[in-house]
Amino acid sequence: MDLSELRQEYAGQPLDVDSVDPNPFQQFTAWFDQASTAELLEPNAMVLATVDADGRPSQRTVLLKYFDESGFVFFTNYGSRKAQQIAANSHVSLLFQWLPLHRQVEVDGVATKVSSAESLKYFLKRPRESQLGAWVSRQSEVVSHRQLLEAKLEEMKTRFGKGEIPLPSFWGGFRIAPTRLEFWQGGPGRLHDRIEFRSDGRGGWNRSRLSP
C-alpha cells in the first residue's frame, strides 16, 4: 500500500522560545486546557514507552490522571508488563498527541511508584465497576477466554457485596518526574515548531528551539 500521497497540511499558532511559558508545566497546562476545551477524545491519553531489561522497547496508551510540578501520574496493575519494565529500567517516555490542534508533547523522565495512600485516594474516586475491574484483571497475563474474566468479576461482586472495595496490593500509581519536555506545533511546509525544555538539575529549565 502506497501512502505517499496521504498528506495533511499543518497550520497553527507559531511557537517560539520567547512565546512559550518559561515554566514547562504552565505551558503544558495551557495546552491541555485548550485540548480539553476543543472536546478532543481523551485529551489525557498518552503513549507510554518503556524498555525491558534487555533494551527492547514497548509502548501502550494510558490515561493521565493528574499532574503538577512533581510529575505526571497514571495508575496500573503492578504486575503488568509496563510495571515490570519500569522496575527494570525506570527511564520512560510519554507522548501526548492532540492531532486536531496539530500539536504533540513529548515527556522524558523517571518513573517511581506513588505511595499506597496516594493510590488509595485515587482508587476511592473510581467508579465501582472500575474498582472491581482492578481486582479481576491480572494485567498482561494470558487468559484463555473472556468468560473467565466475567466469572472472576461475578466472584468479586459476591466477595465484596455492597461494601467498600479495598485497594488491591498489586495496583497503584506511577509518577513520571520529567527531565525533558518538548512542545511540537505543526507548521506549513513541514517547518514545524519544536521547543525543548531540559532540566538544569537545579530545579530550573533551559529552553531551546529544535530544527524540525
Side-chain angles (χ1 to χ4, degrees):
M1 182 181 294
D2 183 2
L3 304 179
S4 60
E5 297 304 318
L6 185 61
R7 298 180 182 277
Q8 171 70 48
E9 187 66 20
Y10 297 121
Q13 186 70 29
L15 196 64
D16 197 74
V17 170
D18 296 327
S19 66
V20 297
D21 194 294
N23 183 326
F25 294 99
Q26 292 300 322
Q27 181 64 39
F28 181 86
T29 299
W31 272 22
F32 185 85
D33 288 346
Q34 290 169 19
S36 298
T37 300
E39 298 183 347
L40 303 187
L41 179 64
E42 301 278 27
N44 59 326
M46 58 187 186
V47 176
L48 168 67
T50 56
V51 179
D52 69 14
D54 296 321
R56 293 173 297 202
S58 62
Q59 53 191 335
R60 75 289 292 160
T61 300
V62 297
L63 297 178
L64 175 69
K65 288 305 176 181
Y66 50 88
F67 67 94
D68 55 27
E69 296 204 6
S70 66
F72 300 82
V73 179
F74 73 94
F75 292 84
T76 189
N77 186 306
Y78 284 146
S80 64
R81 182 178 63 171
K82 69 177 92 58
Q84 293 176 29
Q85 291 183 346
I86 288 173
N89 186 337
S90 62
H91 293 273
V92 304
S93 185
L94 305 173
L95 181 66
F96 295 86
Q97 286 187 311
W98 299 314
L99 297 181
L101 301 180
H102 302 162
R103 289 176 176 173
Q104 63 181 13
V105 180
E106 183 181 356
V107 180
D108 299 334
V110 177
T112 56
K113 288 183 178 179
V114 305
S115 68
S116 295
E118 190 171 345
S119 291
L120 176 60
K121 182 179 180 180
Y122 169 71
F123 186 78
L124 294 176
K125 294 180 180 179
R126 301 185 94 199
R128 189 174 183 84
E129 294 79 5
S130 297
Q131 292 178 346
L132 288 168
W135 278 95
V136 169
S137 174
R138 297 293 180 175
Q139 196 173 96
S140 300
E141 291 186 7
V142 174
V143 58
S144 59
H145 51 79
R146 183 177 178 84
Q147 286 78 2
L148 289 178
L149 296 176
E150 294 171 348
K152 185 69 173 180
L153 176 60
E154 293 305 314
E155 178 187 332
M156 291 297 106
K157 287 180 178 179
T158 300
R159 175 179 174 181
F160 298 120
K162 295 186 181 298
E164 184 176 286
I165 300 173
L167 172 71
S169 61
F170 52 82
W171 190 95
F174 282 101
R175 173 175 286 104
I176 291 86
T179 55
R180 174 185 175 274
L181 300 93
E182 181 187 319
F183 295 84
W184 183 98
Q185 175 71 65
R190 297 300 188 258
L191 293 181
H192 313 304
D193 291 320
R194 298 173 59 193
I195 305 300
E196 179 188 67
F197 288 79
R198 282 190 177 271
S199 171
D200 63 7
R202 302 186 301 275
W205 297 90
N206 297 317
R207 284 175 287 169
S208 303
R209 169 178 284 277
L210 302 181
S211 176

